[in-house]
Amino acid sequence: MNRVALIDCNNFYASCERVFNPRLENRPVVVLSNNDGCIIARSNEAKALGIRMGEPLHECQSLITKHGVQVFSSNFPLYGDMSRRVMEILSTFTPDMEVYSIDEAFLNLDGIAVDPAEYGATIREAVGKGTHIPVSVGIGPSKTLAKIAGKIAKKVPGHNGVFDISGRVEESLAGIDVEDIWGVGRQHADFLRRHGVLTALDLRNAPEEWVRKHLTITGLRTVMELRGVPCIPLDEAQQPRKAIICSRSFGRRVHALGELQEAAAAYVSRAAEKLRAQGSAASYVQVMLMEFPFNDGHPRTHICSASIPVATAFTPDLIRYAHALLKRVYRKGPAYRKVGVMLSGIVQRGQVQMNLFHAAREGEKEIALMKTVDEINQRWGRGTLVHAASGFSRPWWMRQTRRSARFTTSWADLPVVRA
């Protein structure tokens, strides 16, 4: 029988903050979005207080003060590195694994000799010992059922973080609202409720022809998965992105073109790093510049784009294109709140189409240079080597006044132990 396990890190961002600060255990913790605007992660204790996901920080400040909620700015270098450590441990339990998100992974448990639930408990214990990140393990004959099993494992204390839905499918699906099914969006959920389909069990038992007519083949695939028929295979190899976007809101109002150019260069550098990581090159660059809202409350956004004659992943060239585009959309006077860069027209680096009228600027020397820069930054931490065009003081950078130390990615932030 097919067996799939979903490993889900519990309250991942908040759990990462607790790893290096044990005093946060059993205390309410929240993590903020860029520029410390809204709440994007909550510990169970914070959820119990009624703090909502996406709630602006200022709207729940009194609740935070009253209950001593610990508030942190996003620390994505820490979260990304802790995710990598979790995934490395998971990869030792099966050769077939799909990293689904920063805090989730699917594992193929076919051929495992021991009881799946026992194996799930072993996985949970190993991740806990290796990273101190608590995880839930949901096991089922399909990815959709494994997702539902994961919800049950996380919410029902009696399962100790591990739940195998096999043999208990009907009773489990009866307790899952239709909007909580993986792959069922809000519009489809509203439609299903209007037609009396309220739970996952109702959808599982719906006639196939009716599902195909109203939810298309994608909805029928979800129904088959709920019936235990695997229709969504594990995607072991991550597909190259068709577009890479890097964008951040500024920590303050920005007026000067020079600061906008620094921000654009920094975002291009990050996007180009991701481009090279997947072995690709870009043939299209787009720059987006957003002003602060006017009196009517609607911000004005300026967009400009250009084609690159010969696709490249060479950061200096991409920065030059971005700067040229930025000069075309910039107007002196308004205050700007955000700049963004998108690289698209992505092709594999070894399949770049040459141009008769434009020589390729990315040769062996440029490829070797970018490889060296990426390796150094990967080993010693992002930002060890930067392009001067992206600036050094960066006064425009987003606000992160409550960020914890980058304990695992910065030598300067390593914890100090005094014997």
Side-chain angles (χ1 to χ4, degrees), residues 18 32-33 52 89 103 148 217 264 273 367 371 418:
R18 284 173 165 168
L32 304 177
S33 61
R52 303 185 307 274
I89 293 173
D103 61 347
I148 291 175
I217 191 66
E273 182 183 339
I367 291 175
K371 181 180 179 181
R418 293 181 174 86

Side-chain angles (χ1 to χ4, degrees), residues 100 106 143-144 147-148 180-184 222 225 232:
Y100 181 66
F106 288 103
K143 291 172 74 173
T144 302
K147 269 276 194 178
I148 291 175
D180 291 333
I181 303 172
W182 184 43
V184 175
T222 298
E225 285 257 323
I232 308 175

Side-chain angles (χ1 to χ4, degrees), residues 25-40:
E25 286 294 334
N26 300 318
R27 300 183 65 181
V29 177
V30 298
V31 178
L32 304 177
S33 61
N34 292 332
N35 285 312
D36 296 347
C38 300
I39 292 168
I40 61 171

Side-chain angles (χ1 to χ4, degrees), residues 98-416:
E98 174 190 344
V99 178
Y100 181 66
S101 67
I102 192 172
D103 61 347
E104 292 178 288
F106 288 103
L107 276 61
N108 184 355
L109 301 186
D110 283 354
I112 302 300
V114 299
D115 178 73
E118 292 181 5
Y119 201 66
T122 302
I123 293 173
R124 188 170 185 268
E125 182 180 2
V127 175
K129 285 184 176 179
T131 65
H132 293 279
I133 298 292
V135 301
S136 299
V137 182
I139 303 169
S142 68
K143 291 172 74 173
T144 302
L145 287 176
K147 269 276 194 178
I148 291 175
K151 290 180 180 292
I152 296 172
K154 182 178 293 188
K155 293 182 178 181
V156 181
H159 296 306
N160 296 319
V162 180
F163 181 65
D164 184 357
I165 201 172
S166 304
R168 291 178 281 185
V169 174
E170 290 200 5
E171 63 181 273
S172 299
L173 296 186
I176 300 296
D177 293 335
V178 70
E179 61 265 26
D180 291 333
I181 303 172
W182 184 43
V184 175
R186 181 179 299 174
Q187 290 185 349
H188 280 156
D190 291 341
F191 171 83
L192 289 169
R193 280 195 294 268
R194 290 197 300 269
H195 288 79
V197 180
L198 306 179
T199 68
L201 183 61
D202 293 336
L203 183 58
R204 175 181 182 267
N205 295 333
E208 293 183 18
E209 287 303 318
W210 185 87
V211 173
R212 185 193 295 270
K213 178 181 178 181
H214 296 288
L215 304 181
T216 72
I217 191 66
T218 302
L220 182 58
R221 185 173 62 178
T222 298
V223 170
M224 298 307 293
E225 285 257 323
L226 290 173
R227 295 176 181 176
V229 180
C231 298
I232 308 175
L234 259 65
D235 187 6
E236 298 170 26
Q238 188 173 5
Q239 297 299 316
R241 304 184 193 184
K242 296 181 179 179
I244 296 175
I245 300 174
C246 192
S247 176
R248 292 285 187 275
S249 295
F250 300 134
R252 60 169 176 78
R253 294 172 181 259
V254 175
H255 296 83
L257 175 61
E259 291 189 3
L260 295 174
Q261 288 177 324
E262 285 186 1
Y267 301 153
V268 167
S269 299
R270 179 62 182 136
E273 182 183 339
K274 295 180 180 179
L275 189 68
R276 293 188 294 270
Q278 66 178 30
S280 301
S283 57
Y284 193 82
V285 181
Q286 184 178 88
V287 169
M288 177 270 293
L289 187 60
M290 182 182 293
E291 298 179 13
F292 266 88
F294 292 98
N295 293 332
D296 58 5
H298 298 289
R300 180 177 296 175
T301 302
H302 309 276
I303 298 176
C304 192
S305 56
S307 296
I308 303 173
V310 180
T312 183
F314 188 48
T315 300
D317 277 355
L318 294 171
I319 290 176
R320 278 192 285 270
Y321 276 100
H323 280 181
L325 294 173
L326 192 59
K327 288 180 180 178
R328 290 169 60 180
V329 296
Y330 171 77
R331 294 187 306 111
K332 189 175 181 179
Y336 295 97
R337 62 179 297 185
K338 187 177 186 179
V339 69
V341 175
M342 181 177 75
L343 304 180
S344 58
I346 292 176
V347 298
Q348 289 302 106
R349 219 167 180 186
Q351 302 172 1
V352 173
Q353 178 66 50
M354 295 295 106
N355 190 300
L356 182 62
F357 303 102
H358 298 273
R361 295 176 59 90
E362 187 179 24
E364 293 183 2
K365 179 180 177 181
E366 288 77 15
I367 291 175
L369 174 61
M370 291 294 95
K371 181 180 179 181
T372 301
V373 170
D374 292 342
E375 288 177 348
I376 290 175
N377 284 333
Q378 185 176 16
R379 181 175 181 181
W380 301 105
R382 186 178 302 157
T384 301
L385 291 181
V386 299
H387 292 266
S390 62
F392 297 98
S393 61
R394 298 185 177 184
W396 41 267
W397 193 250
M398 58 185 176
R399 290 190 299 271
Q400 289 183 309
T401 58
R402 305 168 186 258
R403 181 179 61 79
S404 57
R406 296 163 295 179
F407 295 107
T408 64
T409 60
S410 172
W411 286 105
D413 291 347
L414 284 177
V416 177

Side-chain angles (χ1 to χ4, degrees), residues 29-61:
V29 177
V30 298
V31 178
L32 304 177
S33 61
N34 292 332
N35 285 312
D36 296 347
C38 300
I39 292 168
I40 61 171
R42 306 158 296 162
S43 67
N44 289 334
E45 295 81 3
K47 295 175 184 178
L49 294 176
I51 298 175
R52 303 185 307 274
M53 179 68 79
E55 186 173 6
L57 177 63
H58 69 271
E59 291 186 5
C60 56
Q61 191 61 61

